[in-house]
Amino acid sequence: MNQVHNITITFMDFPAELLLHILGHLDVYDLVRARKICSDLRQLIDSSSELQYLIDVRYFNAIPPSLPGCDIAVATRRQLLQKSETAWQRAEYSQKNSTTMSYSPDNYRWSCGILGIPAKSLQQLKFVQPSLSDGDTHTIDLRQRICKIDSTAFEGYSFSPTQDLVVILSRTTRGESHAYDVTFRSLSEDKPHPDAASPLVKALDNQIHPQLFDSPYTQTMIFGDYYGLFCKYAHKADGELVDFLQIWNWKSKEASQCLQIFDVDRGTTNFSFLTNDRFLVASATELMLFSLETIDSVNAIRLVGKFSFPALRDPFIFHYITFSPIPFHASTHNQLIAINMCMSAPTTTKSPYFTFYIERNTLLELESTYISRYGEASQDSPSLPWSAWGSKNTRFFENANSSCTHRIFGFRSADLIGDLVSRDGVLQSRPLRIRDFNPHRVTDFKAGNIATLHQRLVEGESPNSTLFLDPLGPGLPYIETISQEKFLANDMTVEANRITLLSLKGSSMHNVSQSIEMLDFE
């Protein structure tokens, strides 16, 4: 008698070529999620250089901006990307170009390789874009754009080259019902931005005390369709001292501005957008995650999660917290976030500095972790303890006071090692340190597929500091490269295939000239 046998065929029983063809139709984020299902599926995806390339380019933001057009074969694109990656891995740039600046920048900002500089004496903002003028002479052209300002009322500015946008914050005269005028202008033409719903909006209108308002600290940020303004120690209309955070959808006429007010006792210090609808606020004890929602054409802010910082040894406290800016052009990618911490104590004049990294997607995923444990967040709800989120997802670094700047692009960071000024007060050159947190390259390094002459793998290490009562944890392994060459510079910005340095020439900060140096990793 014939017998019928039930045979179970699983997904992984299909030929590898067919499985890779199926996986190739997935969205890159689904590919990343598929790697987490099981070790067999992860190994299959990691065995395909094409799928790894897609993840590196679209998820880890590892793509040179000078990459040719869409008609170029994937194999050629991979070669160009790999060439750039090799240069980064060795900390060996292909060319170096420099130009002297005729003025010393103050209160400057970087965005997409462009340097913004207020020139109050000239009643203008200058935007300087370094570009190669001649590959043979290694010189740089400085393309300049000018935006006029009223220096008597000028309070601050933000700009986004990808949106041709500069936003100027100007103080109003005492007695006005609003605190600031916010103007949205075209970066290239110095006229009202054509996409702005209104060329000028009134910040904190009817929210402040017209005679007492005098905020000593403001912070602004542009991210996609939104512009945010944070004011610390500001007087409300009833005279109460608070911290204000106001956000606008600068492109929408229907969506109104929204406002969040913080008690000054919370020690709120800073904010940063993560996406177009999520942003972080840092206080003296925790990170707060907020959603930005539009209900009936009205913007609304909602607290969705709270996450404790590691506990400090008494009497130290977190003095202030800042975020390294996220480039808007990377907003669709996963991205490292750098959170900078300064501690203080009444018993010492020293202020320890630390920076920790965490993936942006990890922060966004923590929202569901918080809700599953505590339900809907509120100002009085508990914070997710550091042990439940921080130690396994972050990487801490202790900084020297004068080198606390970490610049990030995608999953790569760069900084200069050591103090800029020696104990004798002399300026000193410093080596460049490049860290690569891309897990694919970490895996390749462990497997011996990457040359190790110039690099070292760092995992399982954390700062040996007695300041923290909670363990900092060994999260986020990375590959570290340190340059042989040293650079006399006080700041930099990082792009996909370039580092632009704000370099110095002189023996002390009192007698110094500045120049721009471009290091191309291609």
Side-chain angles (χ1 to χ4, degrees):
M1 188 172 69
N2 293 332
Q3 291 184 345
V4 178
H5 298 279
N6 291 327
I7 300 175
T8 301
I9 299 177
T10 67
F11 181 73
M12 296 304 298
D13 289 329
F14 288 99
E17 295 80 3
L18 179 58
L19 294 176
L20 290 173
H21 178 75
I22 294 171
L23 292 168
H25 290 278
L26 292 179
D27 175 86
V28 65
Y29 284 90
D30 290 331
L31 269 179
V32 173
R33 295 186 188 100
R35 290 184 72 255
K36 301 177 181 179
I37 292 175
C38 66
S39 59
D40 289 340
L41 200 52
R42 181 176 65 251
Q43 291 173 10
L44 178 66
I45 294 173
D46 290 350
S47 70
S48 168
S49 55
E50 287 77 11
L51 294 182
Q52 285 197 41
Y53 175 73
L54 287 175
I55 293 174
D56 279 343
V57 167
R58 298 178 184 175
Y59 188 83
F60 292 117
N61 205 19
I63 182 170
S66 57
L67 208 59
C70 297
D71 56 337
I72 302 300
V74 173
T76 304
R77 291 172 172 270
R78 289 185 59 220
Q79 290 175 359
L80 291 171
L81 182 59
Q82 289 169 353
K83 182 179 178 181
S84 176
E85 290 303 317
T86 299
W88 282 107
Q89 290 163 11
R90 296 178 177 177
E92 294 177 353
Y93 51 84
S94 56
Q95 59 179 320
K96 176 180 178 182
N97 305 275
S98 63
T99 186
T100 301
M101 298 182 67
S102 58
Y103 43 83
S104 178
D106 184 29
N107 192 24
Y108 61 86
R109 289 189 173 196
W110 290 103
S111 182
C112 303
I114 296 179
L115 183 65
I117 309 167
K120 292 185 178 181
S121 60
L122 302 177
Q123 304 279 312
Q124 60 187 215
L125 285 171
K126 290 186 176 182
F127 297 95
V128 179
Q129 183 176 14
S131 61
L132 297 180
S133 58
D134 189 331
D136 295 326
T137 59
H138 301 290
T139 57
I140 297 176
D141 277 338
L142 293 181
R143 301 175 183 174
Q144 295 196 31
R145 305 171 189 176
I146 301 298
C147 185
K148 296 178 182 178
I149 59 173
D150 178 0
S151 63
T152 60
F154 178 77
E155 178 73 15
Y157 69 105
S158 297
F159 67 106
S160 172
T162 57
Q163 300 181 94
D164 189 37
L165 174 67
V166 56
V167 186
I168 300 173
L169 186 70
S170 303
R171 294 185 302 272
T172 58
T173 57
R174 191 176 294 274
E176 294 280 351
S177 63
H178 64 290
Y180 303 101
D181 289 328
V182 182
T183 54
F184 300 92
R185 303 190 65 78
S186 166
L187 181 60
S188 60
E189 301 183 59
D190 191 23
K191 65 181 184 180
H193 197 287
D195 294 337
S198 174
L200 183 148
V201 297
K202 297 179 179 180
L204 304 178
D205 194 19
N206 296 316
Q207 298 292 330
I208 64 166
H209 192 291
Q211 300 298 328
L212 297 179
F213 182 86
D214 186 18
S215 175
Y217 172 78
T218 59
Q219 179 212 349
T220 61
M221 185 177 184
I222 303 168
F223 196 92
D225 298 342
Y226 289 95
Y227 170 78
L229 165 65
F230 175 69
C231 299
K232 191 161 183 63
Y233 299 133
H235 287 90
K236 287 173 57 181
D238 60 4
E240 181 186 1
L241 199 62
V242 298
D243 300 329
F244 284 112
L245 175 62
Q246 192 162 24
I247 295 175
W248 295 262
N249 183 327
W250 63 277
K251 292 182 178 180
S252 173
K253 292 182 179 180
E254 289 76 23
S256 62
Q257 60 196 23
C258 52
L259 183 70
Q260 184 74 25
I261 300 175
F262 300 94
D263 192 316
V264 293
D265 292 336
R266 297 187 70 93
T268 312
T269 64
N270 215 286
F271 84 102
S272 176
F273 288 105
L274 292 179
T275 66
N276 237 355
D277 62 357
R278 293 291 187 276
F279 64 90
L280 285 175
V281 174
S283 75
T285 58
E286 62 189 3
L287 284 176
M288 292 174 281
L289 179 63
F290 289 85
S291 69
L292 194 58
E293 303 170 353
T294 302
I295 303 174
D296 296 330
S297 299
V298 176
N299 284 341
I301 292 175
R302 184 169 64 90
L303 179 64
V304 296
K306 300 164 65 178
F307 315 105
S308 293
F309 289 132
L312 293 176
R313 176 174 56 84
D314 190 63
F316 281 91
I317 61 170
F318 290 109
H319 184 59
Y320 63 82
I321 312 290
T322 62
F323 302 95
S324 294
I326 302 173
F328 169 65
H329 55 272
S331 63
T332 58
H333 299 268
N334 195 9
Q335 163 90 21
L336 281 180
I337 305 294
I339 300 176
N340 310 298
M341 300 173 151
C342 175
M343 293 79 156
S344 64
T347 56
T348 178
T349 58
K350 294 182 179 180
S351 297
Y353 289 81
F354 286 81
T355 296
F356 76 83
Y357 293 171
I358 185 170
E359 293 184 25
R360 174 169 56 182
N361 284 4
T362 298
L363 281 170
L364 296 174
E365 292 165 1
L366 284 173
E367 178 180 337
S368 60
T369 303
Y370 185 91
I371 293 174
S372 64
R373 178 177 290 201
Y374 300 115
E376 187 173 344
S378 68
Q379 294 295 337
D380 297 325
S381 64
S383 299
L384 190 68
W386 173 261
S387 59
W389 74 274
S391 58
K392 62 182 179 181
N393 293 313
T394 61
R395 168 69 65 172
F396 264 77
F397 301 100
E398 187 169 6
N399 304 295
N401 289 4
S402 59
S403 63
C404 195
T405 300
H406 290 242
R407 297 304 184 191
I408 292 175
F409 188 92
F411 273 68
R412 180 179 289 118
S413 73
D415 65 312
L416 294 166
I417 304 174
D419 289 323
L420 173 61
V421 182
S422 69
R423 293 182 179 180
D424 299 327
V426 178
L427 294 176
Q428 52 188 5
S429 300
R430 298 175 289 169
L432 177 68
R433 174 169 48 203
I434 298 169
R435 297 183 175 112
D436 192 341
F437 291 82
N438 188 316
H440 284 166
R441 282 187 276 282
V442 170
T443 300
D444 282 347
F445 190 94
K446 291 181 178 180
N449 298 329
I450 297 177
T452 60
L453 179 62
H454 303 275
Q455 302 174 282
R456 74 180 185 111
L457 174 66
V458 179
E459 57 181 346
E461 296 182 8
S462 59
N464 184 20
S465 174
T466 59
L467 278 176
F468 297 94
L469 298 178
D470 290 326
L472 300 182
L476 297 181
Y478 62 92
I479 302 170
E480 181 180 86
T481 310
I482 298 177
S483 68
Q484 298 296 315
E485 184 177 355
K486 294 183 178 181
F487 304 89
L488 186 58
N490 64 338
D491 200 4
M492 72 176 81
T493 185
V494 180
E495 299 171 79
N497 64 346
R498 174 177 293 168
I499 290 178
T500 304
L501 295 161
L502 198 58
S503 298
L504 308 173
K505 186 176 181 180
S507 57
S508 70
M509 293 300 292
H510 302 291
N511 182 24
V512 66
S513 61
Q514 292 189 293
S515 63
I516 290 178
E517 283 189 304
M518 292 168 52
L519 312 179
D520 284 339
F521 294 82
E522 292 183 317

